[in-house]
Amino acid sequence: MEESFPMTGGDGPNSYAKNSKRQKGAADKAKSVLVEAIIEKLEVEDTPSIASTFRIADLGCSTGPNTFFSVNTIIEAVTHKYKTKGHTSLPDFQVHFNDHVSNDFNMLFNSLPPGRQYFVSGVPGSFHSRLFPKASLHFVYSAYALQWLSRVPQELSDINSPAYNRGRIFYSNAPNEVGKAYTAQYVMDMERFLAARAKEIVPGGLMALLIPGRPEGTLPAESSIGPFFQPLESCLVDMENEGIINKAKIDLFNLPMYSPSPEELRQLIQKNGSFSIARLESNTSAGSKQLCGAGECRSGLENIIAGHFGSNIVDELFERYAKKIAECPPLDTGDTSGIGLCIILKRNL
């Protein structure tokens, strides 16, 4: 069974809409690569006759506003591409916003930019499965959503398994068996993702993926995003020690996220065989990294935490989290910290 982990909806102080500046910053860094790929690699007819509709999908769009900035960038670059090919008229642009069924689509649609130059539809469902008709999409975009797995690896909740992740909520600093279980789940999920997109994207179409990754040659346990979850894990353990949370609940709670290495992605893309890699770049930021603020962490994890532990602990948990990170220095993760992967794939003809 696939699980659903929507971001916190609405526009309140703990909402994703108010706490996603980090994701926007990462997308902004990849903007030039995205534009260059569209101008250089997108297949556009040389003749004046053009497709009546150019269809774009943002997979894992959440509630905005980041998705609207990215969509505008894509449409501006595609428009430039058509004009350089001598087209005097442009296609209609249709943008499909996709996320889990439980995503706050009302918030998304209420905050649509006025005067937008595209038609809109909402497509609820998991991007690990088919979402669109065959050969119906010209451009697929997904920013900082593909780190989410379709579910927690089952071995992690089996007390008799060597991958039973007792006392931890993630695979960083965990035994190798835990990392291997996460890797296996990620491989299954990405194989399904690529197979679905191979059917949905037109020949010559593009797909741009922004993914938090880890440096080449590192083990899953050395995940670059692992340190960001350690304060949350520490707060949960504190609450367990004080009898607020049952120990078994913590032992069975694991975050369904994974950070791949560039080589892992290359191998999966090559195995699928439907795409060529137009660009695969990593952005490595050296030096100190700020931990996620309480609002930022809560906006992404509140729903999964409330679903497992109950909503009654959420306020206290994040009050403790805010105090704990205030006492922590910035993460000093050296030259290999915070790797972000930008992958541009072209659907083979």
Side-chain angles (χ1 to χ4, degrees):
M1 291 291 293
E2 290 193 350
E3 299 171 297
S4 180
F5 319 108
M7 304 296 99
T8 300
D11 61 354
N14 298 315
S15 65
Y16 182 81
K18 292 288 178 64
N19 291 279
S20 55
K21 291 182 180 178
R22 189 187 300 253
Q23 292 89 332
K24 182 180 185 299
D28 285 345
K29 289 180 180 179
K31 181 176 178 178
S32 61
V33 176
L34 184 63
V35 171
E36 288 172 9
I38 291 172
I39 293 173
E40 295 174 5
K41 302 294 183 180
L42 184 68
E43 295 289 335
V44 173
E45 294 289 340
D46 291 324
T47 57
S49 61
I50 57 175
S52 59
T53 305
F54 189 97
R55 297 180 180 86
I56 301 164
D58 183 351
L59 307 183
C61 65
S62 192
T63 59
N66 293 349
T67 183
F68 307 133
F69 296 124
S70 297
V71 164
N72 285 339
T73 295
I74 294 166
I75 290 177
E76 287 174 4
V78 172
T79 297
H80 178 78
K81 176 74 174 187
Y82 271 99
K83 288 181 177 178
T84 60
K85 286 290 186 179
H87 294 281
T88 57
S89 60
L90 296 172
D92 288 333
F93 289 99
Q94 170 80 49
V95 179
H96 302 289
F97 293 102
N98 157 259
D99 213 305
H100 288 290
V101 172
S102 49
N103 182 58
D104 189 354
F105 282 100
N106 285 334
M107 174 64 193
L108 177 75
F109 294 141
N110 282 330
S111 55
L112 282 166
R116 63 191 176 277
Q117 301 299 306
Y118 53 88
F119 298 95
V120 171
S121 71
V123 181
S126 169
F127 53 49
H128 292 111
S129 303
R130 281 284 303 278
L131 294 165
F132 304 96
K134 291 180 180 179
S136 62
L137 300 176
H138 301 86
F139 196 96
V140 169
Y141 177 77
S142 182
Y144 291 86
L146 268 173
Q147 73 271 20
W148 285 94
L149 301 173
S150 66
R151 66 180 185 183
V152 174
Q154 292 179 305
E155 304 95 310
L156 272 60
S157 58
D158 181 358
I159 196 171
N160 296 313
S161 169
Y164 184 59
N165 203 23
R166 181 182 283 109
R168 288 176 293 268
I169 67 171
F170 200 49
Y171 59 83
S172 55
N173 300 318
N176 285 338
E177 290 81 4
V178 176
K180 289 178 180 178
Y182 269 95
T183 298
Q185 184 64 52
Y186 180 77
V187 167
M188 287 189 291
D189 285 346
M190 277 302 293
E191 286 179 343
R192 292 172 58 205
F193 176 88
L194 291 170
R197 304 295 84 79
K199 290 184 171 65
E200 296 166 350
I201 299 175
V202 300
L206 297 180
M207 178 160 59
L209 309 175
L210 307 183
I211 306 173
R214 68 178 197 275
E216 204 80 89
T218 58
L219 295 171
E222 300 169 297
S223 165
S224 60
I225 63 173
F228 292 98
F229 300 123
Q230 288 173 357
L232 181 67
E233 179 180 282
S234 178
C235 290
L236 289 167
V237 171
D238 289 345
M239 294 174 75
E240 180 246 308
N241 290 335
E242 296 173 29
I244 300 171
I245 296 176
N246 184 280
K247 182 180 185 302
K249 280 281 189 180
I250 293 181
D251 290 342
L252 294 174
F253 180 70
N254 294 278
L255 294 173
M257 299 184 197
Y258 187 80
S259 298
S261 69
E263 183 56 31
E264 282 180 295
L265 281 170
R266 286 191 198 95
Q267 291 178 2
L268 288 167
I269 294 163
Q270 290 167 0
K271 181 180 178 182
N272 173 269
S274 297
F275 299 94
S276 57
I277 300 175
R279 301 279 286 270
L280 200 169
E281 299 188 2
S282 61
N283 175 34
T284 304
S285 302
S288 297
K289 299 287 287 184
Q290 291 293 329
L291 289 164
C292 296
E296 186 180 0
C297 186
R298 182 168 180 168
S299 71
L301 301 178
E302 177 175 10
N303 285 313
I304 189 173
I305 288 170
H308 185 84
F309 294 102
S311 58
N312 59 306
I313 73 149
V314 171
D315 287 339
E316 180 175 353
L317 172 63
F318 286 103
E319 287 171 6
R320 288 172 177 252
Y321 178 89
K323 293 177 182 177
K324 190 172 289 284
I325 64 169
E327 300 168 356
C328 295
L331 295 174
D332 186 6
T333 46
D335 292 338
T336 59
S337 69
I339 183 172
L341 301 176
C342 178
I343 306 99
I344 309 292
L345 302 180
K346 184 171 182 177
R347 181 66 171 89
N348 294 334
L349 298 175

